[in-house]
């Protein structure tokens, strides 16, 4: 047989021409295919990729099914020209295998290395390169070793059955999120374009928590205020911690006051005492605007347990105006017309003044501020009582009116 034909048969390429600009695509299931990745595909949707195999056609896969894409250093023609000079011997096939490995041709490398073992089953370099180990006088493959240890090969990696089951569940969950994102996006795209829409979504009954990320993304792209309100109301009706957390967070941080008030409205519709702790933590913020926003929300929640943390925040320390000139304050940014789903930088969300000063190398002047918003919140919670900016009488009032009374204990008389 001619050397080129031998090489082609080794690689399984007869009848399957490769794309001149093909890449080696490592699939998550452990397989490989030489194909061109179409980055401007009209067939692939979000979360998908199109692979084009010359002479065969194209296939659309989910992105998570593609583990890695490698670009070989040489073309198919260059490979055949180089390989044609090597004989079908152990020495030449191993040289050719090492050359393929150096050029990034992983699939040809493995097949040439296996050809070496067909010619000489005890050729140590090829055995080691392919992951074989010597056990009890026999060569054992990595697959056999891992199987004996109770592992399975799943999507290109070795793992236990439990790990594989968990990964399958995670992939299914991820796909549900992607499906909802696409469905909501397409629903919005077709809205108002025709009398008979292809995708129908009943937002009045929508309660699938998998739709929450898609709803939030839709909200961030929405210019129509009425539709944005509908998305927020949908989140408010969902009995989901993720939706509730999003609304609570934006009731504090959202700079667009219209949307911030709408978030608060949805929060109050499902108010519960546990919310007090979340908003009370914002009374410690380095940003004085956040302190007063949180105080307003605590007054609206109308739980007396907020009196103690509010009393402690009547006067708080903050950066002096001349010191804070070049400091990041999210609340000082101009509000967006659309709902800002990003909000402040994550590292600044719950930052106290002490934490801010500790991590900064600059020197700042600090001033003590009387928080009018906190004072007004206390007056509302304490039935119109007004003890000014001294925290002690506020706390005493709460103890007298709301603190549980200790039961009277009577000792039995001695007989």
């Amino acid at each position: 047989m001619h050397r080129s034909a031998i090489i082609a048969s080794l690689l399984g390429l007869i009848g399957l021409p490769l794309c001149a600009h093909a890449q080696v695509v490592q699939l998550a299931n452990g397989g490989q295919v030489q194909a061109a990745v179409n980055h401007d595909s009209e067939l692939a949707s979000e979360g998908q990729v199109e692979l084009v195999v010359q002479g065969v056609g194209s296939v659309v896969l989910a992105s998570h099914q593609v583990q890695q894409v490698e670009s070989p250093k040489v073309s198919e023609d260059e490979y055949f020209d180089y390989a044609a000079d090597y004989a079908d011997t152990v020495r030449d096939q191993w040289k050719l295998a090492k050359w393929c490995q150096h050029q990034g041709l992983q699939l040809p490398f493995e097949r040439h290395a296996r050809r070496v073992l067909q010619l000489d089953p005890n050729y140590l370099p090829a055995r080691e390169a392919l992951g074989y180990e010597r056990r009890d006088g026999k060569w054992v493959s990595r697959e056999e070793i891992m199987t004996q240890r109770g592992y399975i090969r799943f999507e290109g990696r070795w793992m236990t059955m439990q790990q594989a089951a968990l990964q399958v569940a995670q992939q299914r969950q991820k796909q549900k999120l992607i499906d909802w994102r696409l469905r909501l996006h397409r629903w919005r795209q077709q809205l108002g374009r025709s009398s008979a829409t292809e995708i129908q979504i009943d937002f009045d009954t929508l309660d699938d928590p998998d739709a929450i990320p898609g709803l939030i993304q839709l909200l961030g792209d929405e210019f129509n205020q009425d539709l944005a309100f509908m998305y927020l109301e949908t989140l408010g009706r969902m009995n989901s911690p993720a939706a509730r957390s999003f609304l609570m967070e934006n009731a504090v941080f959202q700079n667009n006051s219209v949307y911030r008030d709408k978030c608060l409205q949805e929060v109050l519709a499902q108010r519960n005492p546990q919310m007090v702790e979340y908003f009370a933590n914002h009374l410690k913020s380095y940003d004085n605007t956040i302190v007063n926003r949180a105080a307003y929300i605590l007054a609206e929640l109308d739980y007396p347990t907020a009196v103690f943390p509010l009393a402690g925040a009547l006067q708080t320390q903050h950066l002096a105006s001349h010191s804070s000139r070049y400091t990041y304050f999210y609340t000082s940014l101009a509000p967006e017309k659309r709902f800002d789903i990003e909000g402040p930088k994550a590292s600044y969300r719950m930052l106290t003044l002490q934490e801010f000063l500790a991590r900064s190398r600059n020197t700042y002047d600090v001033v003590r501020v009387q928080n009018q918003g906190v004072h007004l919140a206390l007056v509302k919670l304490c039935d119109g009582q007004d003890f000014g900016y001294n925290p002690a009488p506020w706390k005493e009032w709460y103890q007298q009116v709301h603190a549980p009374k200790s039961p009277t204990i009577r000792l039995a008389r001695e007989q």
Side-chain angles (χ1 to χ4, degrees):
M1 184 183 293
H2 190 274
R3 287 179 182 174
S4 296
I6 293 174
I7 294 165
S9 64
L10 283 174
L11 295 178
L13 299 177
I14 295 178
L16 184 60
L18 300 177
C19 178
H21 302 288
Q23 298 167 297
V24 179
V25 180
Q26 303 280 352
L27 301 177
N29 63 8
Q32 293 177 325
V33 63
Q34 294 197 13
V37 180
N38 185 359
H39 296 284
D40 299 317
S41 172
E42 296 182 356
L43 299 177
S45 304
E46 182 180 352
Q48 296 180 321
V49 61
E50 181 187 11
L51 305 180
V52 181
V53 181
Q54 184 176 348
V56 176
S58 65
V59 61
V60 176
L61 301 177
S63 297
H64 66 80
Q65 293 179 279
V66 177
Q67 189 174 47
Q68 187 177 355
V69 178
E70 299 176 355
S71 297
K73 299 177 183 178
V74 298
S75 68
E76 177 191 353
D77 291 336
E78 289 173 320
Y79 162 73
F80 276 109
D81 288 342
Y82 187 83
D85 294 331
Y86 286 80
D88 190 26
T89 64
V90 170
R91 181 173 177 272
D92 274 19
Q93 287 298 308
W94 182 241
K95 282 185 178 180
L96 186 54
K98 296 296 290 181
W99 180 83
C100 290
Q101 187 179 47
H102 180 71
Q103 299 301 326
L105 301 171
Q106 183 63 22
L107 185 59
F109 161 74
E110 292 179 2
R111 289 183 173 170
H112 282 295
R114 290 194 181 99
R115 178 57 180 165
V116 170
L117 294 182
Q118 290 175 351
L119 297 170
D120 182 358
N122 293 315
Y123 192 75
L124 185 60
R127 286 286 181 188
E128 292 178 342
L130 292 172
Y132 282 85
E133 293 183 17
R134 192 80 171 175
R135 293 193 174 186
D136 300 326
K138 296 181 180 180
W139 287 109
V140 183
S141 69
R142 178 171 175 78
E143 286 77 7
E144 293 172 311
I145 295 171
M146 297 302 290
T147 301
Q148 290 172 3
R149 292 176 180 173
Y151 287 83
I152 63 171
R153 191 166 181 82
F154 180 77
E155 296 201 340
R157 293 189 297 145
W158 289 101
M159 60 184 67
T160 64
M161 286 289 292
Q162 293 83 354
Q163 290 172 326
L166 177 61
Q167 189 160 322
V168 168
Q170 290 173 339
Q171 289 175 353
R172 288 176 178 171
Q173 179 62 28
K174 183 179 179 181
Q175 189 59 49
K176 289 180 182 178
L177 300 180
I178 292 172
D179 290 344
W180 263 115
R181 283 179 185 266
L182 291 173
R183 186 181 177 193
L184 288 164
H185 177 70
R186 289 169 180 167
W187 171 86
R188 185 62 184 93
Q189 278 188 320
Q190 71 181 12
L191 191 63
R193 292 187 178 180
S194 62
S195 56
T197 55
E198 297 178 7
I199 300 176
Q200 299 289 342
I201 299 177
D202 187 354
F203 287 89
D204 290 334
T205 60
L206 178 58
D207 60 357
D208 187 348
D210 293 332
I212 291 174
L215 267 174
I216 292 174
Q217 184 178 3
L218 205 62
L219 178 63
D221 295 332
E222 189 58 71
F223 282 100
N224 185 306
Q225 182 176 297
D226 291 336
L227 287 176
F229 275 21
M230 183 180 72
Y231 306 149
L232 290 171
E233 290 165 2
T234 303
L235 290 169
R237 282 192 298 270
M238 287 186 174
N239 185 23
S240 165
R244 192 176 303 116
S245 295
F246 177 81
L247 293 168
M248 290 170 64
E249 197 168 280
N250 281 280
V252 177
F253 290 116
Q254 188 63 218
N255 273 341
N256 186 312
S257 60
V258 173
Y259 289 137
R260 187 171 68 247
D261 290 344
K262 182 62 177 176
C263 287
L264 177 56
Q265 179 184 336
E266 297 303 324
V267 168
L268 294 177
Q270 49 182 313
R271 60 189 284 274
N272 64 70
Q274 285 73 35
M275 291 179 175
V276 171
E277 181 180 1
Y278 173 81
F279 291 110
N281 282 331
H282 289 81
L283 297 173
K284 306 171 187 175
S285 175
Y286 81 105
D287 185 343
N288 187 249
T289 302
I290 293 297
V291 173
N292 286 284
R293 284 183 184 178
Y296 176 78
I297 296 171
L298 288 168
E300 293 298 307
L301 286 173
D302 198 23
Y303 288 111
T305 51
V307 170
F308 253 71
L310 282 167
L314 278 164
Q315 299 185 56
T316 52
Q317 288 187 318
H318 296 279
L319 300 180
S321 58
H322 62 275
S323 287
S324 62
R325 189 174 304 163
Y326 302 107
T327 302
Y328 174 77
F329 287 93
Y330 170 77
T331 57
S332 67
L333 302 178
E336 301 280 345
K337 290 184 178 180
R338 291 181 295 184
F339 193 104
D340 181 8
I341 61 173
E342 297 297 329
K345 298 175 182 177
S347 57
Y348 281 83
R349 286 179 183 271
M350 301 297 292
L351 197 64
T352 66
L353 179 64
Q354 290 71 27
E355 291 169 340
F356 174 87
L357 295 174
R359 76 179 193 179
S360 177
R361 297 181 180 180
N362 299 325
T363 301
Y364 295 93
D365 292 331
V366 175
V367 295
R368 196 163 191 81
V369 178
Q370 290 186 340
N371 296 309
Q372 185 179 9
V374 174
H375 177 248
L376 292 174
L378 282 167
V379 171
K380 181 175 180 179
L381 285 175
C382 296
D383 302 328
Q385 297 288 334
D386 191 346
F387 303 109
Y389 288 86
N390 181 6
W394 293 102
K395 294 179 179 181
E396 291 174 5
W397 181 90
Y398 175 82
Q399 291 282 6
Q400 293 175 3
V401 177
H402 293 286
K405 304 296 188 296
S406 299
T408 302
I409 301 176
R410 295 183 180 180
L411 297 177
R413 293 181 180 178
E414 295 182 1
Q415 298 295 327

